Amino acid sequence: MSSAQTPTLNAAGDRWVRPSTAQDGPAIVALMRQAGLQPHTEPEQLRWKYWQARPDWPGSRSFVLTDGKDILAHGAVCPGTLRSAGGAARMIHMIDW
C-alpha cells in the first residue's frame, strides 16, 4: 500500500478515509442514490470523473469514509488552477458529497 493509500484513522480507530477505486463504484452510486441524488452509473463515466489519470492530479479524485465493511460517506474533488495577475494557485472544488 502506497502512502497515498494508507488509511487515516479517526480518534476511535474504527473509521478512516481512503482514496476510492473503481471497485467502490457500485457502493458510491448506491450511497448517492440513498441520499436522494441521481448519480452517473456508467463505469466509463465514473472512471473519467474519479479515477482517470490527469497531469494535474495523480491518483484518485474520489475519497470514501469507511469502517472497513461499508462506505459511510463519499466526496470527490475537481482540481483546477486559479490564475491572476499575481500568479497561479492550485485549488479544488468538492463535489459528490
Side-chain angles (χ1 to χ4, degrees):
M1 185 177 288
S2 74
S3 61
Q5 296 173 330
T6 303
T8 303
L9 299 177
N10 69 1
D14 59 348
R15 295 179 179 162
W16 59 92
V17 173
R18 65 168 173 78
S20 73
T21 66
Q23 290 75 25
D24 295 316
I28 292 169
V29 168
L31 183 68
M32 292 200 310
R33 281 185 173 153
Q34 183 181 17
L37 303 174
Q38 296 178 351
H40 291 286
T41 59
E42 302 82 15
E44 53 281 344
Q45 188 68 275
L46 295 172
R47 183 183 62 76
W48 169 82
K49 191 174 191 181
Y50 300 139
W51 306 297
Q52 183 174 307
R54 286 176 52 137
D56 63 341
W57 190 277
S60 180
R61 292 175 301 283
S62 165
F63 300 87
V64 294
L65 173 68
T66 182
D67 60 6
K69 179 182 171 217
D70 296 312
I71 291 177
L72 308 171
H74 173 262
V77 297
C78 182
T81 303
L82 175 65
R83 298 189 190 283
S84 70
R90 290 185 65 180
M91 57 176 263
I92 61 169
H93 177 74
M94 187 75 125
I95 60 171
D96 297 347
W97 55 281

